[in-house]
Amino acid sequence: MATILGIETSCDETAAAIVVDGHDVRSNVIASQVDLHRKYGGVVPEIASRAHIEKLDAVIREAMAGAGCSRDDIDAIAVTSRPGLVGSLLIGVTAAKTLSWLWSKPLIAVDHVLAHVCSPAIDVNPAPWPAVGLVVSGGHTSLYRVNGFDSIELLGRATDDAAGEAFDKVASILNLPYPGGPEIDRLAQKGDPDAHAFPRTMLGRDALDFSFSGVKTAVLYEVNGPGKTTGGLEKLNPRQIADMAASFQACVVDVLVGKTMRALDQTGLSAVALSGGVAANSRLRSQLAEACARRGAAFYAARIQYCTDNGAMIAALAEHLYHRGERATLNLDVSARS
Ligand code: KG4
Ligand code: ZN
């Protein structure tokens, strides 16, 4: 049982958490930068790095204070070292190295996507493995066979846009603010998911990869007319815009649920663990829960506050790395890729 400080700065959330034993989340502080990036309609890497520098110190202090922890209580410092924006990752990794050296505590490097994959296990003890892990975030849409914390095999992944990216791009087509996922989720509650039959791209019969660029383009042309990219939105009333949002969301959710059921068939597993920013989506959570219930599979969704980027999932996975003896040195480098 270890007490771990987890630091996360891979994209546009500056986050730190204290987690004991991989389950007991004593604090989970997240300073979101969305207000800084909103006017650009997406994350601007240079602005993200600067904001991490400005906020990280205070975020770590708040996480320590919130957990009632001093440096003596900490057993290790965990940090996201990949994948993500290199400039942003560097801020977290440099801070973690500095604390590791100053406090003489072990340093643990964590893969952000694997931390998402394992995040449903924070609230489940014993862990829900083996399970099919579905990670749906802004940068990644992947299916995994999770045998255990130390054995995670990739089954399929997005070949073009990630699901979250598609949510954000479609939100921009509908002139909704960034980040678009939560906006579409909200608007879809007022719309008809069957108003438009957007293409459910399933790729080959057995394929577990994803492609979401087709549905994004389909929404663009449905709004503006075939082959046109502008000029259509002003002609739609609020009800019609809500129908677009609801039909797009239903399309993405159908594909995610369909592929996850395929993964259950192919692996013979009987549990699903859902994670990542898009896992906060209300329709995805309810439809996947229903599909699992229909076939008698167990369903574990990460708690909403562990879906979008956070330090708790970094510290929670680091618990297992810590006990396996995985240690990073002060030469730890960052990487844009998983
Ligand atoms: O995991 P995350 O915080 O960052 C990455 O690792 O990429 O995911 C962010 C993504 C964004 O694309 C955002 O629009 C999406 O998660 N998202 C949602 C919802 N909440 C966040 N998408 C659909 N419905 C939501 N409720
Ligand atoms: Zn993430």
Side-chain angles (χ1 to χ4, degrees):
M1 189 155 121
T3 299
I4 298 188
L5 165 63
I7 297 173
E8 154 65 41
T9 64
S10 69
C11 190
D12 63 340
E13 326 278 2
T14 312
I18 304 287
V19 181
V20 178
D21 191 26
H23 296 287
D24 183 2
V25 179
R26 299 277 171 91
S27 63
N28 188 30
V29 180
I30 303 168
S32 171
Q33 302 177 4
V34 287
D35 292 341
L36 296 175
H37 300 287
R38 186 169 287 128
K39 67 175 171 212
Y40 303 100
V43 178
V44 182
E46 176 64 21
I47 292 175
S49 314
R50 283 172 189 273
H52 287 310
I53 294 177
E54 283 164 19
K55 290 186 188 161
L56 184 55
D57 212 27
V59 165
I60 293 173
R61 280 175 206 276
E62 197 182 327
M64 298 283 286
C69 263
S70 74
R71 69 171 80 173
D72 297 335
D73 303 314
I74 303 288
D75 293 305
I77 296 159
V79 64
T80 305
S81 66
R82 64 188 180 278
L85 301 169
V86 167
S88 291
L89 289 164
L90 273 172
I91 311 302
V93 166
T94 305
K97 282 180 184 174
T98 308
L99 291 177
S100 159
W101 177 72
L102 266 178
W103 297 352
S104 304
K105 306 285 180 183
L107 178 66
I108 299 175
V110 177
D111 181 295
H112 180 89
V113 181
L114 297 185
H116 273 305
V117 179
C118 295
S119 62
I122 296 175
D123 288 317
V124 185
N125 199 1
W129 324 130
V132 165
L134 172 64
V135 183
V136 212
S137 77
H140 301 269
T141 304
S142 308
L143 279 163
Y144 294 89
R145 182 193 174 101
V146 188
N147 303 309
F149 292 101
D150 57 350
S151 171
I152 301 174
E153 297 161 30
L154 183 69
L155 298 171
R157 63 186 170 81
T159 52
D160 42 49
D161 292 359
E165 216 174 329
F167 267 94
D168 294 337
K169 286 178 179 169
V170 165
S172 138
I173 294 169
L174 301 178
N175 202 24
L176 302 170
Y178 176 86
E183 297 291 330
I184 289 190
D185 195 349
R186 240 188 319 273
L187 194 58
Q189 320 270 345
K190 299 183 217 149
D192 174 6
D194 299 318
H196 304 274
F198 292 125
R200 271 72 174 156
T201 308
M202 297 301 279
L203 303 172
R205 229 175 53 122
D206 300 324
L208 293 177
D209 284 341
F210 299 91
S211 170
F212 290 111
S213 68
V215 59
K216 174 196 67 188
T217 310
V219 175
L220 184 69
Y221 293 160
E222 191 78 6
V223 169
N224 296 297
K228 298 201 186 120
T229 55
T230 54
L233 192 63
E234 359 345 313
K235 295 177 197 138
L236 301 182
N237 64 36
R239 171 72 216 210
Q240 290 170 314
I241 296 176
D243 285 348
M244 288 286 177
S247 301
F248 160 75
Q249 178 176 276
C251 173
V252 172
V253 168
D254 278 357
V255 172
L256 292 169
V257 171
K259 296 261 172 177
T260 307
M261 295 304 113
R262 249 184 213 181
L264 285 176
D265 289 337
Q266 291 181 20
T267 58
L269 294 173
S270 55
V272 169
L274 172 67
S275 61
V278 183
N281 185 268
S282 55
R283 187 176 175 97
L284 177 58
R285 291 175 90 87
S286 62
Q287 298 280 99
L288 197 51
E290 276 173 34
C292 286
R294 272 197 301 275
R295 59 183 289 153
F299 176 61
Y300 305 93
R303 206 195 282 204
I304 297 282
Q305 58 264 50
Y306 308 143
C307 285
T308 42
D309 293 346
N310 64 89
M313 67 179 188
I314 304 304
L317 176 54
E319 168 83 17
H320 303 278
L321 304 174
Y322 177 79
H323 292 295
R324 285 210 311 262
E326 292 199 18
R327 303 287 184 267
T329 69
L330 294 181
N331 290 324
L332 172 65
D333 209 349
V334 301
S335 164
R337 289 173 185 280
S338 197

